[in-house]
Amino acid sequence: QSALTQPASVSGSPGQSITISCTGTGGDVGGYDYVSWYQQHPGKAPKLMIFEVSNRPSGVSNRFSGSKSVNTASLTISGLQAEDEADYFCSSYRNSDNPVVFGGGTKLTVL
Amino acid sequence: QVQLQESGPGLVKPSQTLSLTCTVSGGSISGGSYYWSWIRQPAGKGLEWIGRIYTSGSTNYNPSLRSRVTISVDPSKNQFSLKLTSVTAADTAVYYCAREDVKVVPCSFDSWGQGTLVTVSS
């Protein structure tokens, strides 16, 4: 069982927007602005899409955005494209003894 | 652009020790403010952080694996390594090495290896 809770799947049509949630506790998501999001295509390594809740690394499309409210972080993808179909994982800082925890992942299907 | 590459046996017998190495190219493993981590992913499941080593050599481990894990670094070879003892079938997974640039993307992994599948079976 993963430390952070994500929906197993979400779907949307091309051009639409979708949001994936990531729920933790005040000891991780809610306590720090260190939430990250990763995209993973089948058979590939994860790719960092969002760090520090809402920051995009260089080269990541501005269609990807992140936010947080209390203990739940969210990833929003606008203007869905076929290439966005992938698994998405969130992660958060927890504490110095166990610094990194992940969500169980969400499969995004572009209809 | 830094690149990471995992290497090691793809098959390990139960109760034995899993050993993997990550070779870093395109940058020094000792330069900068970096954490070098191991992360694993069982087939069809989520990611699990195993542990990390800092540029200085200090380490942190996932509490659930701490008693079985050792991560070390060899700056002369620009490599860091993972040892996981007393493995069982539950340790079967794709193992990734990854980098956290503390100053640019704190608490995030901006570079990943391609992953290597390790199967625990007799």
Side-chain angles (χ1 to χ4, degrees), chain B residues 17-68:
Chain B
T17 296
L18 179 160
S19 296
L20 295 175
T21 295
C22 182
T23 301
V24 179
S25 59
S28 171
I29 201 169
S30 300
S33 302
Y34 303 123
Y35 279 109
W36 303 96
S37 282
W38 288 98
I39 296 162
R40 70 181 183 179
Q41 184 175 34
K45 296 188 178 181
L47 300 166
E48 180 179 33
W49 178 77
I50 298 170
R52 67 184 184 183
I53 188 163
Y54 192 53
T55 304
S56 64
S58 63
T59 54
N60 300 103
Y61 300 125
N62 186 321
S64 68
L65 298 170
R66 182 174 294 146
S67 64
R68 299 194 292 131

Side-chain angles (χ1 to χ4, degrees), chain B residues 6-9 17-22 36-40 48-53 60-61 65 68-73 79-85 87 91 94-97 116 118:
Chain B
E6 306 89 352
S7 59
T17 296
L18 179 160
S19 296
L20 295 175
T21 295
C22 182
W36 303 96
S37 282
W38 288 98
I39 296 162
R40 70 181 183 179
E48 180 179 33
W49 178 77
I50 298 170
R52 67 184 184 183
I53 188 163
N60 300 103
Y61 300 125
L65 298 170
R68 299 194 292 131
V69 174
T70 302
I71 296 175
S72 59
V73 63
Q79 296 175 335
F80 65 105
S81 298
L82 168 71
K83 290 189 185 300
L84 181 65
T85 62
V87 297
D91 296 309
V94 173
Y95 285 74
Y96 295 99
C97 56
T116 187
V118 178

Side-chain angles (χ1 to χ4, degrees), chain A residues 2 34-36 38 40 43-48 50-52 57 89 91 93 96-100 102-104, chain B residues 37 39 41 45-49 52 60-63 66 96 100 104-110 112-115:
Chain A
S2 299
Y34 288 127
V35 176
S36 304
Y38 300 88
Q40 186 180 36
K44 300 295 186 181
K47 175 187 176 183
L48 180 64
I50 296 287
F51 67 99
E52 291 182 298
F89 295 91
S91 74
Y93 176 81
S96 59
D97 188 50
N98 187 18
V100 181
F102 283 101
Chain B
S37 282
I39 296 162
Q41 184 175 34
K45 296 188 178 181
L47 300 166
E48 180 179 33
W49 178 77
R52 67 184 184 183
N60 300 103
Y61 300 125
N62 186 321
R66 182 174 294 146
Y96 295 99
E100 173 193 347
V104 177
V105 289
C107 301
S108 301
F109 305 105
D110 63 341
W112 294 68
Q114 65 185 27

